[in-house]
Amino acid sequence: MKLIKLDAIDSTNDFLKALASQDELDNFTVVTAENQTKGKGQMGAKWQSESGKNLIMSALVKEFIYNNEQVFNLSLIVSLSVIEVLKSLNIPDLSIKWPNDIMSYNKKIGGILIENTIKSDGRIVSVVGLGLNVNQTNFDELPNASSLAVILGSSINKDILPELIIEKIKQKIGSWTVSASFFWEDYFNSLFRKGVPMPFRNLDPNSSGQNFMGIIQGVSSIGKLQVLLEDDSVSEFDIKEVQMLY
């Protein structure tokens, strides 16, 4: 694993995308930063992190996704890989809040943002961004967030995490052909609040932000959330179309 360590950067995802566009980087090249000034989350949200306290990393993944229908497969693999590493550190009650927030109990401890680029020859190159709250303990302005240190009651050496996570990702990519159905089942079983009635907000501009009750049933092959509605129908939602209220 080629590792590039930075002290501060605007965005590790942007840095790695720029690097990959100019050079034929090794697959699974990783960039980490102690501080990130313009961290990004899903739908343009900002990822805030105390300098030097948390894991901020981006990894280059090539030769896995070959068309848009397969894009969510990588999200699934990365989410499960992070969960496995955290389980090995004895982090309790882990789940994946669709599509790929990492939760312990009902607190967010990590988030994943995957950005894909289609090359001129049709190849899809992915930059996997991961922010994981490791040793930060002050979340006064983020009441739904927590960290590994808060949960365990002790600090963790965050420098060991990138290699552990990348090794899990490599293993899952390597066995995807024979284990895809198992990984999908594992992802379904790891979904946050699956099978529990809960409120949602419809983000469709035509819905006026209407709230509704539903039960998460699963996720489609292209990553849409499947929700059982009160009229017993099942609707599918994209990331920009629905928000969980919890």
Side-chain angles (χ1 to χ4, degrees), residues 12 93 226:
T12 55
D93 199 19
Q226 298 167 328

Coordinates of all heavy atoms in Angstrom, one line a residue, residues 12 93 226:
T12 N -8.7 15.6 1.0 CA -7.9 14.4 0.6 C -8.5 13.8 -0.7 O -7.7 13.3 -1.6 CB -7.8 13.4 1.7 OG1 -9.1 13.0 2.1 CG2 -7.0 13.9 2.9
D93 N -22.1 -2.5 19.0 CA -23.4 -2.1 18.4 C -23.2 -1.3 17.1 O -23.7 -0.2 16.9 CB -24.3 -1.3 19.4 CG -25.7 -1.3 19.0 OD1 -26.1 -2.1 18.2 OD2 -26.5 -0.4 19.4
Q226 N -35.0 0.9 0.1 CA -36.3 0.4 -0.1 C -37.1 0.5 1.2 O -36.7 0.0 2.3 CB -36.2 -1.1 -0.5 CG -35.5 -1.3 -1.8 CD -35.1 -2.7 -2.1 OE1 -34.8 -3.5 -1.2 NE2 -35.1 -3.1 -3.4

